[in-house]
Amino acid sequence: MKRFFTFIILILILAMCPLQVFATQLPVASLKTDPDGNLYWQNTPLAETITKEHQPMLFSALPMQNTLPSRYDGRENGFETAVIDQGGANICWAITATDLLSLNLRQKLLPALAFSPAHLAWFAHRSLVYSDERTAGDGTLLSDPFLHGGNWLDATAALSAWNGPALETEFPFNDRDFSAMGNYAQADRKKREAVLTSAVCYYSKEINEPSNLSASQMTAIKQAVMREGGVQVSFYSAVGNYYTSAMTTAYYQNSRTATNHAVVVVGWDDHFSKQNFAASCQPPADGAWLCKNSWGNEWGDNGYFWLSYDDVSLNQIVSFAADSKYAYAENYQYDGFGFHGRVFSDDYIRFANVFTVDADCEIAAVGTWFLQNGADFTIDVYTGIDSDFTEPVQNIKAASISGIAADYGYRVVDLQAPVFVKKGETFSICVTLTANQNCPVVNAAIENTDADDYVSYSESGQSFVQIERDGSWYDTSVEGLNNVCLKALTLHTHTRSAVADICEECGKVVTLRETQLFRRLFEYFWFLIANFV
């Protein structure tokens, strides 16, 4: 009963807040706007300070500071999750990905949930779909999902296909008995309690090269730690190089450039002394990342340790961001196993998917990979596609958004207004990438052909690529490339209709950007109803 009254009080408080306040305080997701009004992603340059104008999330519990501090510890702001012991399982990549999703939701003041790395590892490596789904025939069936290993691309492929994240309580990880995990039913594959909205790689290198992070990259990574709750870093972990003193545990090595482990970065200290590392192998300068390991809370400093800025193996530094599972309703997609190839051009490339909807819906966002830094992009949505279409861009252009994609990775891009599509209607989403001085080559992510450990399936009339301006469209299935990696996300009808009712009463017409706050409120309402009433 107490929870019920708490819920009612929350509704009354929110009901007293005026619409205009909500609308004027709403930032534009993780996008910025240039003088011409185009939306673009960009990591704030070193010389630029972080202000509320650049703060990407609506409900960030941590106010962004005017300048980056020399020391930061996310735990001091309440952003802390349980430390897992991976035991003999090679799933550090799944542990870091699910942990970062949890931290990101906490950062946004969304309900704090613990996600299952066992579920993610299983369905990332046992993902082959035998059904009438659009992704049927895509995936892999590895015999040892918990021993095979993986990386952020495996995690992103599964999560962007909405294969999780599922709750840890429903799919618990067991580091002592692998037989207690896995063999999950196919129906469990689509269980999810959040939606992946981005997986951004801030730094990557060739495995035989030493790490060499620039000042701007260091700044971007630190900003991501503060903004998203943390980042994943891969490095070469050798037991003999961990040094535990009376005060802390620190790690540095300078002989191996490959990676074999992944951890979560939750902070840093620019003045962390190099004297804190083993005397036999000390870094050349002060400074270290505060990392959360996956070896249990009895290891290190309650499961944490310091990783030198100068370790030569640092690689694949990635952030993961999420939204509530109520943020979107359906995921129209053909790529069920992520990208394993690319089509590229030194000038211009367009790629598109064509879908027929199962029920009345509103297309609210597009999910895709940006495999280059700095490309000009345009995303268009076309409706009323004819049944005998010969190219995917025809009839009504119902929505368009342009900008610059400055980060490498997967992104969900919200349209500026939703596009209504009737049941049985065919629509297409098309991404145009244009090379420029800062980005001489542009790439379209594709499933590609089969390999030893995975397969892909496609049908003609689904995915298309155009590699010359005003040139021919190529059906990627006919060309043997299978599908392009491009998804259309729809809204929940109860969210949109409720927002429309509220706005009609106040006589204000709002765009999807202005309704994001209302969507968040309804996500909270649904969560509270489901869990407390």
Side-chain angles (χ1 to χ4, degrees):
M1 184 60 69
K2 181 178 179 181
R3 290 174 175 172
F4 175 78
F5 283 115
T6 301
F7 172 68
I8 295 300
I9 291 172
L10 177 61
I11 293 177
L12 293 175
I13 291 173
L14 293 172
M16 291 186 292
C17 298
L19 173 67
Q20 186 62 36
V21 172
F22 290 155
T24 57
Q25 289 182 346
L26 181 70
V28 184
S30 57
L31 299 173
K32 296 171 67 177
T33 306
D34 67 14
D36 296 326
N38 292 320
L39 300 174
Y40 69 107
W41 294 302
Q42 186 176 38
N43 295 319
T44 308
L46 180 63
E48 187 174 342
T49 59
I50 308 173
T51 67
K52 287 186 177 180
E53 179 184 356
H54 306 124
Q55 185 175 335
M57 300 317 306
L58 178 59
F59 285 110
S60 177
L62 176 68
M64 298 300 277
Q65 303 186 26
N66 292 330
T67 57
L68 283 170
S70 62
R71 178 189 176 278
Y72 173 76
D73 184 344
R75 298 174 299 179
E76 296 173 355
N77 295 288
F79 306 135
E80 187 172 9
T81 51
V83 177
I84 291 179
D85 186 349
Q86 70 181 80
N90 294 329
I91 65 167
C92 57
W93 59 277
I95 292 173
T96 57
T98 51
D99 195 45
L100 286 169
L101 293 178
S102 297
L103 286 168
N104 186 251
L105 291 179
R106 286 173 179 262
Q107 183 86 347
K108 299 171 184 175
L109 296 185
L110 284 168
L113 302 171
F115 298 121
S116 169
H119 181 278
L120 176 57
W122 180 264
F123 285 111
H125 290 330
R126 301 278 297 181
S127 57
L128 190 58
V129 179
Y130 297 105
S131 69
D132 58 355
E133 294 183 24
R134 296 180 184 85
T135 57
D138 295 341
T140 182
L141 287 176
L142 297 179
S143 59
D144 52 357
F146 303 122
L147 295 176
H148 183 268
N151 55 38
W152 75 279
L153 296 173
D154 296 319
T156 305
L159 293 168
S160 64
W162 287 13
N163 297 338
L167 293 178
E168 169 67 16
T169 53
E170 191 169 359
F171 302 92
F173 175 69
N174 191 321
D175 63 305
R176 306 301 178 190
D177 182 9
F178 292 177
S179 65
M181 304 180 292
N183 296 316
Y184 305 131
Q186 269 296 315
D188 292 332
R189 184 169 54 86
K190 288 299 182 183
K191 289 189 175 181
R192 61 177 180 85
E193 296 298 326
V195 175
L196 177 74
T197 55
S198 73
V200 176
C201 184
Y202 300 92
Y203 178 77
S204 182
K205 68 175 185 66
E206 298 295 331
I207 61 173
N208 59 346
E209 297 177 352
S211 302
N212 184 25
L213 277 77
S214 67
S216 60
Q217 288 169 330
M218 291 283 287
T219 297
I221 293 165
K222 290 176 179 178
Q223 291 173 357
V225 171
M226 296 183 71
R227 182 180 65 244
E228 310 293 2
V231 298
Q232 170 192 295
V233 61
S234 298
F235 70 106
Y236 188 83
S237 174
V239 174
N241 288 84
Y242 288 95
Y243 177 70
T244 300
S245 65
M247 299 297 294
T248 188
T249 296
Y251 182 86
Y252 168 75
Q253 62 86 32
N254 59 5
S255 60
R256 303 293 292 269
T257 59
T259 64
N260 63 359
H261 192 41
V263 294
V264 174
V265 175
V266 298
W268 67 85
D269 185 349
D270 294 338
H271 305 299
F272 189 84
S273 175
K274 62 182 182 179
Q275 302 299 325
N276 291 327
F277 297 85
S280 59
C281 187
Q282 289 186 342
D286 295 344
W289 301 107
L290 175 60
C291 298
K292 176 185 177 183
N293 210 340
S294 52
W295 294 348
N297 55 17
E298 294 183 0
W299 178 90
D301 181 12
N302 295 317
Y304 291 78
F305 71 103
W306 292 91
L307 175 61
S308 171
Y309 288 162
D310 294 305
D311 190 286
V312 298
S313 65
L314 303 183
N315 202 359
Q316 294 184 344
I317 302 178
V318 180
S319 69
F320 288 87
D323 206 337
S324 161
K325 70 175 182 179
Y326 303 111
Y328 305 101
E330 291 188 58
N331 186 352
Y332 282 86
Q333 59 180 335
Y334 294 123
D335 60 301
F337 193 53
F339 88 94
H340 294 270
R342 62 185 75 195
V343 178
F344 62 91
S345 168
D346 60 2
D347 176 36
Y348 158 101
I349 195 166
R350 300 177 84 189
F351 54 102
N353 271 347
V354 179
F355 301 99
T356 299
V357 300
D358 304 320
D360 290 0
C361 67
E362 289 183 306
I363 305 163
V366 172
T368 192
W369 286 87
F370 293 99
L371 303 180
Q372 58 282 306
N373 296 68
D376 298 308
F377 78 86
T378 298
I379 298 175
D380 298 314
V381 179
Y382 294 84
T383 58
I385 304 294
D386 298 331
S387 58
D388 58 347
F389 71 92
T390 56
E391 61 179 44
V393 292
Q394 62 173 218
N395 289 350
I396 302 172
K397 182 188 287 189
S400 184
I401 186 170
S402 298
I404 300 174
D407 297 324
Y408 182 106
Y410 174 82
R411 287 277 191 177
V412 170
V413 183
D414 278 328
L415 303 177
Q416 291 179 307
V419 175
F420 178 75
V421 185
K422 293 182 179 180
K423 178 181 179 180
E425 185 178 354
T426 300
F427 73 94
S428 69
I429 47 177
C430 175
V431 177
T432 303
L433 298 173
T434 307
N436 54 46
Q437 184 177 1
N438 298 321
C439 181
V441 177
V442 288
N443 304 265
I446 59 173
E447 291 182 308
N448 214 351
T449 54
D450 298 350
D452 293 338
D453 57 352
Y454 71 88
V455 296
S456 297
Y457 174 79
S458 61
E459 297 179 358
S460 62
Q462 294 178 338
S463 297
F464 301 84
V465 171
Q466 183 188 58
I467 56 176
E468 295 179 352
R469 298 174 187 268
D470 302 319
S472 300
W473 282 92
Y474 297 94
D475 187 315
T476 56
S477 180
V478 175
E479 298 297 324
L481 302 176
N482 289 302
N483 295 116
V484 299
C485 300
L486 185 58
K487 308 168 189 291
L489 278 58
T490 68
L491 283 179
H492 282 282
T493 55
H494 73 262
T495 302
R496 182 65 187 177
S497 61
V499 170
D501 291 342
I502 292 173
C503 297
E504 183 178 354
E505 289 181 6
C506 69
K508 175 178 171 61
V509 178
V510 297
T511 66
L512 179 64
R513 292 291 174 192
E514 291 173 314
T515 66
Q516 295 286 353
L517 178 55
F518 287 103
R519 192 174 75 184
R520 180 78 73 223
L521 297 181
F522 280 100
E523 290 162 15
Y524 273 111
F525 292 163
W526 279 92
F527 175 83
L528 291 170
I529 290 172
N531 292 275
F532 300 116
V533 179

